[in-house]
């Protein structure tokens, strides 16, 4: 075995399988010509053909320029072709680096990288890596040239590669985008290691995917299901132009969160009148998408329901799942992921052939990552074979053992496995051998840790959403302990995985290792203390990010999104802890704005209800219970459950009266005023708002006072009391002048714009709504942005700019349908009906407005003055454009529609002028 710096040329025939199936005889002749041409070109330029596969050529050169000339010769020869012959088009790549040579073949990451680079090229294109470009660019002879194509992620899911295109007069110049991870929307992660072996497995998974839209990779923990699924997904990017999306489920424990996890990955939010599953189905309908559901085993029933429903509603969807058991869905193709090939422990043929066995290759490659000087002498071949054999070909077990080469010799690893596996006879005699092997290996690896690293490993099990160094210090620290070095020890021994979250290093467990860590935590007797520490950490985090007034900043929302798994784990612990009632209430109180602003009111409402239902919650302070009841009322309000919102608001008010303070009364009175306005009108809510404002001014809560002044101003405007509305807006603006607060400023501008619109001052209304839109966009508040868009559209429509108004309404409806804008979505739909009538879609205008009116009635959303004016305007324009027979014809086809159907219809109508 030797290692040398060499240059590789890889070629790959485009569509070879299809060509063989079309005309095997002609293809056989074409391949013979191809092979001869490639051999001649490589030989002429001083290279050597390492192997010819069914799809192309792998050649090696001592000089990079020789490889480039050979690539040109191959492309030129194939382009010339022969009359009547099958035209073969090949992708080519040239890459240089160190590789191991054994028995005339080459192995290692450089070889894999060259193959992936060729896989990214287009037919007729020659790609060159930066490693080659650096060697030749200073002395590249004419007419050769290199054209930079930028930096891309290859489909081996590893680090980025700077790529160049070889330029020559006899090569093409213009090609489609490279076949890389950047060309298709996806969230596939970057991986730090190569996939060893698995060629047959990848081919098998692809073959199953050709026949079935649901393929489930089944196997024991640690067998490599996730890694195989990720690579299979990366290789199918071309077939799914609308996206390849990974949904990681291992951190979830609640089946109800499965659909939400997928919706979050897709960037979808809850939509009024639709379940999360319906929102996803609507998104995927008509699109060619691949979804990877990873680690389904603990949520298998819900994953099965999700997969079955989506596959039936979205014909272009394909699903790749990983699980320890099948989903049992009609049409499911099951692939049992095998272990890696293992050697005979008494391997007779020496080291070179042993190193071609996949399990051994993985051990050696990972060992080299941990110790760059790692080598295997010929005398240790038998010992290496025994280690690989005893690890049963389980990738996770192999990686854990390989991590030990930094501190142990092969002999010590072999002996350690002897000692550890001797204990297996005490365990279950019916357990699967691979399960016993893996758990034994994990346990052995754990026992080799220092005491501090073992304690940290166990305590980290509570952190379902992963952790940063700072959060590990906060949740898992002990007096006198060194968290930093203990975490590095876990990482160095492959017991935790490291990734990145923005600028922070973030760590996580593989699912199998977290299970083992949880067992150690339970055995330590520290499980309850660890749960309490996690809850305290999440509470501190939430309090740091949540302002007393106003809304969460976009950066705070992103931070809570990263900690969502830990937030859920903390809440689930507190729900089960007999003394967790007060802490649970405090935690939902600081987290509720996250669910509210990210459009996930279903989970927020359920979490708040669970916290309130805790047996110990009744003993919590009145101030805290009243505020959480007010949160529950807010979630009911945004979901359109107005009667429940009033009931919960009255409960909050009753509790607040036991220990009234201005701060508390301002919050609960305003919360009760919102649904009262919807159900009973401006007069019923006015007194509640004014009492809330007075309390907030007394408490110095100026931002909240200003916001509620604009709320009551808008209500007065819509009720037709414009003089009163003017007074409220003036008061709100006088408060805002004292503070540099965009949230207050935006509320005042919106209220002023509504007043201008009602007075017919459309120029001022337009100016206000343009400013309101800019502030809403900068804040990341999607519901407010949607409101701004359609109100600006109304001002433009009043000025005769119907086409621009239509564009703004279409954008508004799309935003409001994704965010928590149920009430505003109804208003936007009724406004869009007027736009549709003005742009010549009067039939759709009638359908949209009548449908929205039915939804309004179903929600218990009364028809106020503003809605009546809008209805009158719509009907007047419809009557002007539709004669009586046509109108009766349209009315005969009217039917109840969901908000989603109405939003889609309004979007199409408004798009008709684009």
């Amino acid at each position: 075995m030797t290692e040398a710096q060499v240059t590789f040329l890889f070629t790959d025939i485009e569509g070879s399988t299809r060509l063989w199936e079309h005309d095997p005889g002609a293809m056989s002749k074409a391949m013979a010509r191809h092979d001869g041409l490639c051999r001649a070109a490589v030989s002429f330029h001083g290279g050597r053909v390492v192997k010819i596969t069914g799809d192309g050529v792998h050649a090696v050169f001592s000089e990079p320029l020789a490889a480039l000339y050979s690539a040109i010769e191959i492309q030129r020869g194939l382009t010339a072709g022969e009359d009547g012959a099958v035209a073969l088009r090949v992708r080519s790549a040239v890459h240089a680096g160190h590789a191991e040579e054994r028995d005339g073949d080459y192995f290692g990451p450089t070889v894999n990288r060259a193959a992936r680079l060729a896989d990214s090229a287009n037919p007729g294109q020659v790609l060159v890596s930066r490693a080659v470009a650096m060697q030749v660019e200073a002395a590249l002879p004419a007419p050769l040239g290199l054209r930079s194509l930028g930096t891309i992620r290859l489909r081996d899911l590893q680090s980025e590669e700077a790529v160049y295109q070889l330029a020559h007069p006899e090569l093409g110049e213009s090609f489609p985008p490279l076949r890389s991870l950047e060309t298709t929307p996806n969230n596939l992660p970057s991986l730090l290691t190569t996939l060893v072996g698995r060629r047959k497995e990848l081919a098998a998974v692809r073959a199953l995917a050709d026949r079935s839209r649901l393929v489930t990779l089944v196997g024991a923990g640690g067998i490599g299901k996730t890694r195989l699924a990720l690579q299979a997904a990366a290789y199918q990017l071309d077939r799914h132009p609308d996206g390849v999306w990974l949904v990681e489920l291992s951190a979830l424990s609640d089946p109800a969160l499965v659909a939400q996890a997928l919706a979050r990955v897709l960037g979808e939010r809850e939509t009024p009148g639709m379940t999360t599953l319906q929102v996803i189905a609507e998104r995927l309908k008509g699109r060619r998408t691949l979804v990877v559901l990873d680690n389904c085993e603990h949520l298998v029933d819900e994953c099965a329901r999700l997969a079955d429903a989506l596959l039936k509603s979205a014909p272009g969807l394909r699903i790749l799942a990983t699980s320890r058991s099948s989903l049992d869905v009609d049409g499911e193709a099951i692939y049992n992921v095998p272990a890696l090939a293992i050697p005979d422990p008494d391997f007779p043929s020496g080291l070179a052939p042993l190193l071609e066995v996949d399990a051994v290759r993985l051990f050696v490659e990972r060992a080299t990552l941990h110790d760059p000087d790692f080598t295997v002498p010929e005398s240790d071949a038998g010992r290496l074979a025994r280690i690989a054999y005893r690890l049963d070909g389980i990738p996770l077990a192999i990686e854990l053992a390989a991590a030990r080469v930094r501190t142990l010799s092969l002999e010590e690893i072999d002996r350690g496995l002897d000692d550890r596996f001797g204990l297996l006879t005490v365990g279950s005699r019916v357990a699967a051998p691979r399960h016993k092997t893996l758990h034994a290996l994990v346990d052995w690896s754990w026992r080799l840790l220092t005491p501090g690293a073992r304690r940290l490993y166990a305590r980290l099990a509570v952190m379902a959403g992963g952790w940063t160094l700072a959060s590990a210090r906060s949740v898992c620290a002990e007096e006198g302990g060194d968290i930093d070095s203990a975490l590095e020890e876990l990482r160095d021994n492959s017991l935790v995985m490291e990734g990145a979250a923005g600028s922070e290093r973030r760590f996580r467990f593989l699912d199998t290792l977290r299970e083992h860590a949880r067992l150690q935590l339970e055995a330590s007797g520290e499980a309850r203390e660890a749960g309490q520490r996690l809850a305290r950490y999440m509470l501190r985090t939430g309090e740091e990010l949540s302002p007393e007034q106003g809304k969460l900043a976009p950066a705070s929302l992103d931070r809570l999104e990263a900690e969502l798994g830990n937030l859920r784990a903390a809440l689930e612990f507190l729900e089960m802890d007999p003394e967790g009632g007060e802490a649970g209430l405090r935690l939902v109180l600081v987290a509720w704005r996250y669910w509210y602003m990210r459009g996930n009111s279903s989970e927020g409402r359920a979490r708040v209800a669970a916290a309130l239902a805790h047996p110990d919650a009744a003993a919590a302070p009145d101030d805290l219970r009243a505020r959480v009841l007010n949160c529950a009322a807010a979630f009911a309000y945004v979901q359109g459950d107005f009667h429940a919102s009033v009931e919960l608001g009255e409960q909050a008010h009753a509790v607040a009266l036991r220990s009234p303070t201005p701060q508390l009364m301002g919050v609960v009175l305003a919360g009760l005023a919102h649904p009262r306005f919807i159900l009973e009108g401006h007069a019923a809510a006015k007194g509640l708002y004014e009492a809330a404002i007075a309390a907030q001014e007394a408490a110095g809560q100026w931002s909240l006072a200003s916001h509620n002044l604009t709320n009551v101003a808008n209500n007065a405007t819509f009720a037709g009391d414009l003089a009163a509305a003017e007074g409220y807006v003036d008061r709100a603006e006088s408060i805002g002048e004292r503070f540099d607060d965009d949230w207050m400023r935006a509320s005042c501008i919106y209220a002023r714009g509504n007043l201008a619109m009602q007075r017919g001052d459309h120029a001022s209304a337009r100016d206000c709504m343009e400013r309101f839109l800019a502030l809403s966009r900068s804040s990341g508040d999607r519901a407010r942005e949607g409101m701004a868009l359609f109100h600006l559209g109304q001002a433009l429509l009043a000025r005769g700019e119907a086409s621009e108004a239509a564009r703004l309404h279409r954008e508004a409806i799309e935003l409001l349908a994704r965010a928590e804008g149920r009430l505003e979505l109804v208003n936007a739909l009724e406004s869009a009906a007027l736009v549709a009538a003005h742009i010549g879609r009067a039939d759709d205008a009638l359908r949209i407005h009548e449908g929205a009116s039915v939804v309004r009635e179903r929600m218990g959303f009364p028809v106020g003055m503003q809605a009546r004016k809008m209805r009158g305007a719509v009907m007047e324009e419809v009557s002007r454009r539709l004669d009586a027979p046509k109108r009766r014809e349209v009315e005969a086809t009217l039917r109840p529609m969901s908000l989603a159907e109405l939003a889609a219809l309004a979007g199409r109508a408004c798009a008709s002028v684009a």
Side-chain angles (χ1 to χ4, degrees):
M1 179 177 64
T2 61
E3 184 171 289
Q5 169 86 22
V6 290
T7 301
F8 294 106
L9 167 63
F10 270 77
T11 70
D12 190 27
I13 300 171
E14 174 74 8
S16 60
T17 301
R18 185 179 64 254
L19 293 171
W20 276 109
E21 292 173 350
H22 177 70
D23 192 340
M27 186 61 176
S28 180
K29 293 180 181 178
M31 283 301 301
R33 180 175 178 274
H34 164 273
D35 295 352
L37 175 64
C38 290
R39 288 187 185 277
V42 170
S43 177
F44 181 80
H45 292 286
R48 176 171 64 85
V49 172
V50 176
K51 64 179 70 171
I52 293 182
T53 66
D55 296 315
V57 169
H58 168 196
V60 63
F61 299 81
S62 59
E63 296 293 334
L65 267 178
L68 297 181
Y69 280 120
S70 183
I72 295 170
E73 190 72 24
I74 291 171
Q75 292 288 359
R76 180 168 54 192
L78 290 173
T79 302
E82 291 181 350
D83 291 341
V86 174
L88 298 182
R89 304 188 69 206
V90 303
R91 301 185 292 270
S92 305
V94 180
H95 180 46
H98 287 84
E100 294 179 4
E101 182 183 8
R102 300 194 299 268
D103 294 340
D105 202 352
Y106 287 84
F107 302 89
T110 301
V111 181
N112 298 331
R113 200 68 167 168
R116 296 292 72 79
L117 189 59
D119 182 59
S120 298
N122 292 287
Q125 188 176 35
V126 180
L127 297 183
V128 177
S129 71
R130 177 160 179 77
V132 172
M134 290 177 66
Q135 294 184 50
V136 302
E137 61 184 352
L140 198 64
L144 272 66
L146 294 178
R147 174 188 168 200
S148 175
L149 300 181
T151 301
I152 67 169
R153 282 182 64 206
L154 303 181
R155 294 195 286 184
D156 56 5
L157 300 177
Q158 289 191 265
S159 57
E160 295 179 333
E161 177 74 56
V163 180
Y164 301 80
Q165 178 180 304
L166 181 61
H168 187 272
E170 296 185 66
L171 297 178
E173 294 183 7
S174 299
F175 294 94
L178 298 183
R179 294 146 50 108
S180 68
L181 292 178
E182 281 80 8
T183 58
T184 300
N186 73 88
N187 67 334
L188 298 178
S190 293
L191 303 177
L192 301 179
T193 56
T194 58
L195 179 68
V196 174
R198 298 301 197 189
R199 288 180 61 89
K200 291 181 180 178
E201 291 86 346
L202 286 167
V205 171
R206 177 156 191 170
L208 288 175
D210 287 339
R211 301 194 299 270
S212 175
R213 292 170 55 218
L214 170 61
V215 178
T216 303
L217 308 187
V218 175
I223 204 70
K225 302 183 296 294
T226 296
R227 187 65 176 87
L228 181 60
L230 290 176
Q231 195 63 70
Y235 286 165
Q236 295 190 56
L237 287 168
D238 296 345
R239 304 174 64 190
H240 302 92
D242 295 311
V244 174
W245 305 107
L246 169 65
V247 185
E248 298 178 296
L249 302 174
S250 60
L252 300 185
S253 59
D254 184 355
L257 298 177
V258 173
Q260 291 182 15
L262 175 54
R264 191 166 61 253
V265 166
L266 295 173
E268 295 292 333
R269 300 290 182 244
E270 291 184 0
T271 296
M274 299 175 69
T275 66
T276 304
L277 184 59
Q278 289 171 330
V279 172
I280 297 169
E282 188 67 28
R283 158 69 181 269
L284 297 178
K285 191 178 297 181
R287 303 191 185 192
R288 293 167 58 194
T289 309
L290 173 65
V291 169
V292 182
L293 297 177
D294 188 35
N295 290 310
C296 298
E297 53 272 353
H298 60 304
L299 302 164
V300 67
D301 291 339
E302 187 61 30
C303 289
R305 282 191 286 270
L306 177 80
D308 185 57
L310 293 179
L311 290 169
K312 288 176 178 175
S313 63
L317 170 67
R318 291 179 180 270
I319 296 176
L320 184 60
T322 73
S323 179
R324 296 186 190 181
S325 61
S326 63
L327 303 188
D328 292 332
V329 172
D330 287 346
E332 177 185 27
I334 300 169
Y335 182 71
N336 290 294
V337 179
L340 293 173
I342 57 176
D344 185 325
D346 300 317
F347 205 90
S349 303
L351 184 61
L354 176 64
L355 292 172
E356 295 182 20
V357 179
D358 285 346
V360 179
R361 286 177 56 207
L362 179 61
F363 181 91
V364 172
E365 185 171 310
R366 297 301 190 259
T368 304
L369 288 177
H370 290 284
D371 180 6
D373 297 326
F374 174 78
T375 58
V376 183
E378 188 73 36
S379 59
D380 268 348
R383 183 169 286 116
L384 181 59
R386 281 196 303 275
I387 292 171
Y389 176 80
R390 290 173 177 179
L391 297 175
D392 261 354
I394 302 172
L396 177 57
I398 293 168
E399 298 205 16
L400 291 172
R404 288 294 165 190
V405 301
R406 298 179 66 212
T407 55
L408 301 176
S409 67
L410 287 180
E411 180 182 359
E412 289 171 319
I413 293 174
D414 189 18
R415 189 166 60 245
L417 293 178
D418 276 340
D419 294 342
R420 183 61 200 136
F421 293 154
L423 299 177
L424 291 177
T425 57
V426 180
S428 169
R429 297 185 181 277
V430 297
R434 284 175 183 151
H435 280 286
K436 294 197 294 184
T437 298
L438 179 60
H439 283 284
L441 197 284
V442 173
D443 202 59
W444 176 67
S445 297
W446 172 76
R447 289 176 184 275
L448 291 175
L449 296 170
T450 61
R454 285 204 298 268
R455 286 192 296 274
L456 177 61
Y457 174 79
R459 291 172 180 177
L460 288 169
V462 299
M463 304 192 75
W467 62 89
T468 62
L469 187 56
S471 60
R473 289 170 181 158
S474 181
V475 175
C476 305
E478 61 180 344
E479 188 173 347
D482 187 347
I483 289 290
D484 297 33
S485 62
L487 185 56
E488 293 300 317
E489 184 178 350
L490 294 177
R491 188 204 61 180
D492 290 346
N493 287 284
S494 298
L495 289 166
V496 301
M497 306 291 289
E498 181 180 356
S503 59
E504 285 190 293
R505 296 166 68 199
R506 195 166 184 89
F507 303 84
R508 66 181 178 86
F509 278 123
L510 290 177
D511 193 40
T512 300
L513 293 172
R514 184 165 181 252
E515 285 183 18
H516 183 268
R518 194 160 44 231
L519 292 175
Q520 306 311 315
L521 181 62
E522 294 291 342
S524 72
E526 295 185 353
R528 184 167 185 240
E529 181 184 352
Q532 290 171 335
R533 287 188 177 203
L534 175 63
R536 288 195 294 269
Y537 166 72
M538 288 308 308
L539 185 57
R540 284 196 303 272
T541 300
E543 288 173 341
E544 291 169 2
L545 299 175
S546 300
E548 182 182 352
Q549 306 179 50
K551 295 194 173 185
L552 289 169
S556 297
L557 288 170
D558 292 341
R559 172 75 184 281
L560 286 172
E561 181 83 36
E563 295 287 358
L564 183 56
N566 292 326
L567 173 63
R568 288 167 172 164
L571 286 170
E572 287 164 7
F573 165 77
L574 293 171
E575 288 167 12
M576 301 299 295
D577 186 12
E579 299 177 6
E582 181 176 340
L585 292 174
R586 291 177 64 199
L587 188 51
V588 295
L589 184 61
V590 298
W592 80 276
R593 284 190 184 91
Y594 164 78
W595 290 306
Y596 191 94
M597 293 184 69
R598 280 287 159 97
N600 196 355
S601 64
S602 294
E603 180 179 0
R605 191 174 181 183
R607 296 290 185 189
V608 168
L612 288 167
H614 192 288
D616 192 43
D622 290 335
D623 181 277
L624 177 59
R625 289 192 65 243
R627 289 176 185 275
V628 176
L629 282 164
N630 187 66
C631 294
F635 282 126
Y637 175 81
V638 298
Q639 289 188 323
D641 193 352
F642 305 123
H643 291 287
S645 183
V646 168
E647 182 179 346
L648 288 163
E650 288 176 342
Q651 291 179 34
H653 187 223
V655 174
L657 287 173
R658 298 175 193 163
S659 307
T661 64
Q663 294 94 332
L664 179 59
M665 296 307 296
V667 168
V668 298
L669 288 171
L672 185 56
H674 300 330
R676 278 277 174 83
F677 169 72
I678 296 297
L679 293 175
E680 302 171 39
H682 173 54
K686 178 181 176 182
L688 289 170
Y689 275 122
E690 289 181 337
I693 293 162
Q696 287 160 349
E697 289 178 332
Q701 294 178 310
W702 300 108
S703 180
L704 293 176
S706 174
H707 181 64
N708 282 315
L709 281 166
T710 59
N711 278 335
V712 73
N714 291 325
N715 295 347
T717 296
F718 298 144
D721 190 352
L722 302 188
E726 180 90 38
Y728 286 121
V729 176
D730 288 343
R731 286 175 59 189
E733 288 177 338
S734 69
I735 293 174
E737 289 171 359
R738 290 181 276 158
F739 302 94
D740 183 17
D741 187 325
D742 280 347
W743 191 58
M744 278 196 281
R745 189 174 297 113
S747 297
C748 292
I749 291 170
Y750 173 66
R752 186 65 71 185
N754 281 330
L755 259 175
M757 191 70 183
Q758 293 303 314
R759 287 172 169 160
D761 184 356
H762 301 134
S764 295
R766 174 180 181 169
D767 176 66
C768 287
M769 292 308 171
E770 285 178 341
R771 292 159 59 203
F772 179 53
L773 176 59
L775 288 168
S776 299
R777 280 179 168 159
S778 66
S779 74
D781 189 330
R782 295 296 174 253
R784 270 195 169 192
E785 183 180 346
M787 290 167 53
L789 285 164
F790 87 79
H791 280 289
L792 177 57
Q794 288 178 344
L796 293 177
L797 183 66
R799 291 167 58 87
E801 300 178 44
S803 295
E804 182 63 10
R807 185 189 68 79
L808 293 169
H809 275 77
R810 185 176 73 252
E811 190 177 345
I813 288 167
E814 182 178 343
L815 275 173
L816 291 169
R818 292 185 179 181
E820 283 293 359
R822 186 167 188 169
L823 306 182
E824 289 301 332
L825 180 56
V826 173
N827 290 330
L829 287 168
E830 291 172 341
S831 182
L834 182 59
V835 174
H838 274 275
I839 62 175
R841 299 290 291 268
D843 52 344
D844 283 337
L846 189 56
R847 293 186 181 95
I848 294 165
H849 195 278
E850 292 303 316
S853 297
V854 171
V855 171
R856 176 187 283 272
E857 183 178 355
R858 193 165 61 227
M859 289 170 56
F861 188 7
V863 179
M865 186 201 74
Q866 179 73 4
R868 285 194 296 273
K869 286 181 65 176
M870 183 62 67
R871 179 178 180 81
V874 171
M875 291 303 123
E876 179 181 349
E877 192 66 24
V878 167
S879 297
R880 192 169 69 84
R881 292 175 179 269
L882 290 182
D883 58 26
K886 179 62 176 177
R887 179 168 174 170
R888 286 194 296 271
E889 180 184 330
V890 174
E891 288 173 340
T893 65
L894 294 178
R895 62 176 180 82
M897 287 187 280
S898 68
L899 269 175
E901 290 176 306
L902 287 166
L905 176 59
R908 290 194 299 272
C910 290
S912 65
V913 298

